[in-house]
Amino acid sequence: MTGEHMSPDEFRRLGHEYVDWVASYWERVGELPVQSTVAPGEVFASLPASPPSTGADDLAAVLADVDELILPGLTHWQHPSFFAFFPANTSGPGVLADLLSSGLGVNGMNWATSPACTEVEMRMLDWFVELLGLPDHLRHDHDGPGGGVLQDSASSATLVALLAARKRVTDGGDLSRLRAYTSEHAHSSVVKGARVAGLADDQVRLVPADATHAMRADALADAIEADVAAGLVPFFCCATAGTTSSMAFDPVPEIADICATSGIWCHVDAAMAGSAAVCPELRWVTDGAERVDSWSFNPHKWLFTTFDCTCLWFRDARPVVDALSITPVYLRNEQSESGAVVDFRDWQVPLGRRFRALKPWLVMRHYGADGLARHIREHVRLGRLLADRVLDDPRFELAAPPALNLVVLRCTGDDADRRTTELLERVNASGEALLTPTVLDGRPAIRVCVGQTWTTQVHVDALWALLERSLSS
């Protein structure tokens, strides 16, 4: 009879088939075109207009549809020649943890709704503090008001920090005098978060950057001083440790000092670059973390943790709880009322919470600190290898100083901007690799981000050969 619940035995059988399909996909993904070539609406049109009236007898048949209908419409982020955006590098332990989370199906909104969901997360955030060399006052087991929480993305982390900062200076009402600050090269999520927090775009000051594309601390101080003189209320600043376009590092220690002097909440977005701190020799990426109000990074970018998983820490979490805690009677319980537990629903915008902490738990238990550091070091080495080839070839130039696993390049010579754009288009159209465009100093450039799980020097060498071949075509 169709429409019945799947039995544990049937789930077990199908689970083996689905896991086998994923494993086979990982084995063959390098042979597929990196970027999808379907036309707009093509996948939509290939699916039935109405849902089935009776259920399928065997969901194994769906895998054939995945191969035929879904795969052609995917850009393969797990392809070893995926050098675009950032490395959303999944892994076996990350996927297995997602399976566990989905199978358990718990909602960890309060401690009482599943104590392990909360307490494993607390311990994982403390593990990350040690793994990255962050200050101890961010730990849950430290005697203080700080601690960390998992969010879905850096965008949500920035929004939560914004809301806490807003609560610290106003209980609502007229927000028109509030002013926030970030670099002109900061991620768009800062302005988007400000919109959600009730601010207009012009209430976010985009502070000029220096020649390395990092925020100028003196320009930040000048902007704050001018706004105070105009009767406005500076309340939030987002510094970036590793900007999207060029991996520039804002001077966090100086920015934090300026913010502290002015009573401004200082948040750091270290979305991808924060992962590099698993290598002790690269812990300069966390400079200034001991002075800021909040600090975040994404294990799902470059740390083999399946999307989504973002770590957000607070030096003092009380303003966050003040901003986001609403407790109707159906959420009250003895443990929460006693103050003896953490309710992470008060540390985020949604109420519901999935068991994300299983992902870093399995990933760290599989790789260990040494294993994670080894893979990060190799990606940094491959990035430097590519940068050196750019420097040695007069047909190319670096558009920004090479940093960690990111290389930003452009063509040289006559009509360089047009040829840079055309080069990028040829490479991406080839299906052999995928790169991302950006603009630096008003000119087009090409971002190459090395960090996919299965990327090796073979793939970086192939990319360089493709760039040379595409340049001359």
Side-chain angles (χ1 to χ4, degrees), residues 104-118:
L104 292 171
V106 302
N107 190 323
M109 52 192 180
N110 280 346
W111 178 90
T113 62
S114 276
C117 189
T118 294

Side-chain angles (χ1 to χ4, degrees), residues 115-126 355 357-358 361:
C117 189
T118 294
E119 295 192 11
V120 171
E121 183 165 335
M122 293 170 67
R123 184 58 77 190
M124 290 307 99
L125 270 297
D126 284 1
F355 204 163
L358 289 172
W361 190 40

Side-chain angles (χ1 to χ4, degrees), residues 190-460:
V190 180
V191 174
K192 190 172 189 177
R195 287 183 185 177
V196 177
L199 277 64
D201 288 1
D202 62 4
Q203 290 179 258
V204 181
R205 306 293 200 214
L206 300 182
V207 180
D210 61 19
T212 69
H213 311 109
M215 185 197 297
R216 286 174 42 207
D218 64 322
L220 171 65
D222 291 344
I224 293 171
E225 182 180 357
D227 283 341
V228 170
L232 302 174
V233 181
F235 81 108
F236 177 82
C237 178
C238 179
T240 306
T243 58
T244 300
S245 286
S246 66
M247 193 68 81
F249 286 81
D250 293 342
V252 172
E254 296 173 61
I255 291 170
D257 287 346
I258 292 168
C259 289
T261 300
S262 303
I264 296 171
W265 184 290
C266 185
H267 173 69
V268 173
D269 176 5
M272 180 173 70
S275 295
V278 301
C279 304
E281 71 273 18
L282 297 177
R283 285 185 181 160
W284 51 265
V285 304
T286 69
D287 283 354
E290 72 282 357
R291 308 186 199 182
V292 304
D293 295 285
S294 51
W295 198 94
S296 69
F297 93 110
N298 299 341
H300 68 238
K301 290 180 180 173
W302 204 19
L303 218 54
F304 314 104
T305 304
T306 308
F307 184 83
D308 54 11
C309 186
T310 291
C311 297
L312 171 63
W313 288 276
F314 302 100
R315 180 170 58 186
D316 183 348
R318 290 173 295 187
V320 183
V321 176
D322 289 344
L324 298 177
S325 178
I326 299 175
T327 308
V329 64
Y330 50 80
L331 293 178
R332 292 177 181 167
N333 59 80
E334 178 183 350
Q335 295 85 0
S336 296
E337 296 292 330
S338 73
V341 301
V342 173
D343 289 331
F344 278 135
R345 66 179 177 85
D346 296 331
W347 296 42
Q348 64 174 29
V349 174
L351 172 62
R353 309 195 81 249
R354 62 195 300 264
F355 204 163
R356 283 193 190 95
L358 289 172
K359 289 187 283 192
W361 190 40
L362 265 67
V363 166
M364 286 193 271
R365 291 185 67 171
H366 173 79
Y367 288 99
D370 293 343
L372 291 172
R374 176 170 57 84
H375 288 292
I376 293 293
R377 286 190 185 102
E378 176 62 5
H379 291 155
V380 171
R381 184 188 74 82
L382 293 176
R384 185 68 239 189
L385 176 69
L386 180 62
D388 288 343
R389 288 177 178 170
V390 172
L391 289 169
D392 290 340
D393 193 321
R395 297 172 297 174
F396 297 99
E397 67 180 4
L398 293 174
L404 299 178
N405 62 329
L406 185 70
V407 179
V408 190
L409 59 90
R410 59 167 62 103
C411 297
T412 58
D414 296 336
D415 207 9
D417 290 352
R418 177 187 61 79
R419 292 191 297 109
T420 297
T421 300
E422 291 179 352
L423 174 62
L424 175 69
E425 292 171 350
R426 290 192 196 104
V427 168
N428 288 349
S430 74
E432 297 177 44
L434 189 65
L435 312 176
T436 308
T438 193
V439 174
L440 289 173
D441 303 314
R443 298 180 57 200
I446 300 172
R447 292 176 71 260
V448 183
C449 189
V450 182
Q452 208 288 322
T453 304
W454 293 282
T455 298
T456 67
Q457 185 168 334
V458 169
H459 304 100
V460 174

Side-chain angles (χ1 to χ4, degrees), residues 27-212:
E27 288 176 331
R28 63 190 168 110
V29 66
E31 303 167 8
L32 301 173
V34 185
Q35 188 173 40
S36 172
T37 59
V38 300
E42 186 174 336
V43 176
F44 180 80
S46 73
L47 301 172
S50 299
S53 58
T54 59
D57 290 332
D58 189 352
L59 288 182
V62 174
L63 291 175
D65 287 341
V66 174
D67 280 318
E68 181 180 349
L69 305 177
I70 304 302
L71 283 188
L74 295 182
T75 291
H76 298 286
W77 287 65
Q78 303 312 313
H79 196 293
S81 292
F82 182 93
F83 299 103
F85 301 109
F86 54 85
N89 50 6
T90 192
S91 65
V95 171
L96 292 175
D98 251 345
L99 176 63
L100 279 177
S101 177
S102 297
L104 292 171
V106 302
N107 190 323
M109 52 192 180
N110 280 346
W111 178 90
T113 62
S114 276
C117 189
T118 294
E119 295 192 11
V120 171
E121 183 165 335
M122 293 170 67
R123 184 58 77 190
M124 290 307 99
L125 270 297
D126 284 1
W127 278 14
F128 271 122
V129 168
E130 181 174 340
L131 190 68
L132 305 183
L134 292 169
D136 283 345
H137 65 249
L138 300 179
R139 298 177 65 103
H140 284 283
D141 61 10
H142 186 270
D143 185 19
V149 61
L150 292 179
Q151 304 282 333
D152 56 2
S153 66
S155 298
S156 292
T158 299
L159 172 60
V160 168
L162 266 162
L163 294 172
R166 190 187 73 176
K167 179 66 174 178
R168 203 163 66 170
V169 297
T170 177
D171 283 327
D174 182 13
L175 305 177
S176 63
R177 293 173 57 236
L178 298 185
R179 292 296 180 271
Y181 307 84
T182 197
S183 167
E184 61 178 323
H185 290 286
H187 194 272
S188 59
S189 59
V190 180
V191 174
K192 190 172 189 177
R195 287 183 185 177
V196 177
L199 277 64
D201 288 1
D202 62 4
Q203 290 179 258
V204 181
R205 306 293 200 214
L206 300 182
V207 180
D210 61 19
T212 69

